[in-house]
Amino acid sequence: MTARIIDGKAIASKVREEIATEVAEFKQKHGFTPGITVVIVGDDPASHVYVRNKERAAQQVGMNGAVVKLSAETTREQLLQTVSDLNGDASVHGILVQIPLPDHLDEDEIVRAIDPRKDVDGLHPENVGLLFSGQTRFAPATPQGVQRILVEEGVEVRGAHVVIVGRSNLVGKPLAGLLLGRGEGANATVTICHTGTKDLAAETRRADVLVSATGIPGSITGEMVKPGAVVIDVGTTRVEDASRKSGYRLAGDVLFDEAAKVASAITPVPGGVGPMTIAMLLHNVLLSAKSTVA
Ligand SMILES: NC(=O)c1ccc[n+]([C@@H]2O[C@H](COP(=O)([O-])OP(=O)(O)OC[C@H]3O[C@@H](n4cnc5c(N)ncnc54)[C@H](OP(=O)(O)O)[C@@H]3O)[C@@H](O)[C@H]2O)c1
């Protein structure tokens, strides 16, 4: 079997077009513009690229996209004050604090300081609780992107056995929460694997849908895939590559060539899950703006 290659870029662009249309209608009807503000602390070049991309993507769909740049020496009190100011700013519907933060700042504390109604990353404990109690407000963007890919590709998730490799708060756990729901693209039987899993290959080979989010290139081989399974590769790891101008390339977790011979459909890296993340983040910002007029 040769797997169909899932075009995440095309799906993301469709989602962004839908959002742009809805934003235009929203502005017309309510007379104000949905807005997201991203806070970045420090000089990490990769983080600055991600933040610029989010700002630009927001503006491209007609939203306000703003960035607050703080120095690496920013104190806990200064960052908490910035978050508090944004919490109180009615023109800001989504607040995102770019991770990682410098070591002297406690990421969990900062996330807890964000107004949960503006926590478009879906990482505040209140939003995690709502997701797992079936009352989702904001699901984290990457797992939402995975679910949307499955829906758009017509993958039957209901009743399927989905195996997720990785249990992070950002990807693995919220994805399990989404797929355990009862709506469209959900109602699956879900297994989550991690480094404590005894026989990973035995688990992954039982998957109708296999999602990998380990961040370890090559951690999923062709032998670990059940024939005909759908493989979603969330992993994006920078690997040194002297042949590239940038000096690196992005690698997924899955050995693509091997897995593509066994799977029925597979996401590439790059161009699979990655483009969906920003699209679903914008979706959350729009949801947040809508909730202020509901
Ligand atoms: N495309 C996107 O937009 C996007 C967004 C978010 C993340 N990502 C990528 O997705 C990957 C995962 O991100 P993350 O934040 O979830 O990472 P993370 O916090 O490092 O979590 C990785 C998870 O994988 C598990 N794991 C690692 N090696 C394993 C192995 N050999 N066998 C079984 N489980 C293993 C870990 O288990 P333990 O818990 O036992 O340590 C952990 O639960 C990264 O490459 C990241 O860059 C991409």
Side-chain angles (χ1 to χ4, degrees), residues 50 141-143 164-173 192-197 200 212-217 219-220 224 233-238 251-253 269 272-278:
Y50 298 144
T142 302
I164 302 168
V165 189
R167 59 173 158 189
S168 71
N169 291 335
L170 195 61
V171 186
K173 279 192 237 166
I192 305 193
C193 302
H194 43 76
T195 56
T197 299
L200 182 63
S212 183
T214 66
I216 314 282
S219 53
I220 303 293
M224 295 166 77
D233 191 351
V234 182
T236 35
T237 306
R238 282 185 176 203
D253 298 347
V269 177
V273 175
M276 294 299 293
T277 297
I278 291 188

Side-chain angles (χ1 to χ4, degrees), residues 16-247:
R16 279 153 77 149
E17 274 170 33
E18 285 170 11
I19 294 171
T21 305
E22 281 200 62
V23 168
E25 286 167 7
F26 182 94
K27 291 201 279 197
Q28 177 91 25
K29 189 164 174 199
H30 301 290
F32 68 92
T33 303
I36 175 169
T37 297
V38 185
V39 180
I40 180 163
V41 185
D43 312 312
D44 178 49
S47 293
H48 276 270
V49 172
Y50 298 144
V51 166
R52 221 169 17 251
N53 288 344
K54 286 169 189 164
E55 180 187 25
R56 214 173 285 155
Q59 291 166 354
Q60 278 166 358
V61 297
M63 291 180 180
N64 290 328
V67 179
V68 176
K69 292 181 187 159
L70 301 174
S71 81
E73 288 74 42
T74 300
T75 63
R76 165 184 177 272
E77 288 70 24
Q78 286 167 330
L79 182 53
L80 287 171
Q81 186 58 52
T82 300
V83 169
S84 166
D85 292 345
L86 293 170
N87 283 344
D89 183 341
S91 71
V92 176
H93 307 97
I95 303 169
L96 191 153
V97 178
Q98 186 67 32
I99 303 292
L101 289 171
D103 288 345
H104 67 281
L105 297 167
D106 177 350
E107 289 174 2
D108 290 339
E109 181 186 32
I110 302 303
V111 168
R112 282 197 305 272
I114 298 173
D115 180 339
R117 287 161 303 180
K118 297 189 178 189
D119 164 45
V120 286
D121 247 353
L123 296 175
H124 189 289
E126 184 175 308
N127 289 323
V128 175
L130 286 171
L131 170 63
F132 276 90
S133 57
Q135 309 166 69
T136 307
R137 180 194 276 145
F138 301 124
T142 302
Q144 260 197 85
V146 171
Q147 189 181 40
R148 184 71 188 256
I149 284 178
L150 295 172
V151 170
E152 292 289 332
E153 288 291 308
V155 176
E156 182 62 282
V157 177
R158 190 179 31 170
H161 185 192
V162 180
V163 175
I164 302 168
V165 189
R167 59 173 158 189
S168 71
N169 291 335
L170 195 61
V171 186
K173 279 192 237 166
L175 179 60
L178 283 173
L179 299 181
L180 286 171
R182 294 176 191 274
E184 197 190 10
N187 242 333
T189 301
V190 180
T191 300
I192 305 193
C193 302
H194 43 76
T195 56
T197 299
K198 274 200 182 127
D199 185 349
L200 182 63
E203 300 296 339
T204 60
R205 272 198 290 266
R206 294 194 299 126
D208 303 314
V209 177
L210 174 59
V211 183
S212 183
T214 66
I216 314 282
S219 53
I220 303 293
T221 65
E223 285 189 343
M224 295 166 77
V225 178
K226 177 166 99 173
V230 173
V231 177
I232 308 289
D233 191 351
V234 182
T236 35
T237 306
R238 282 185 176 203
V239 181
E240 273 185 38
D241 185 342
S243 71
R244 303 286 174 102
K245 216 167 80 186
S246 59

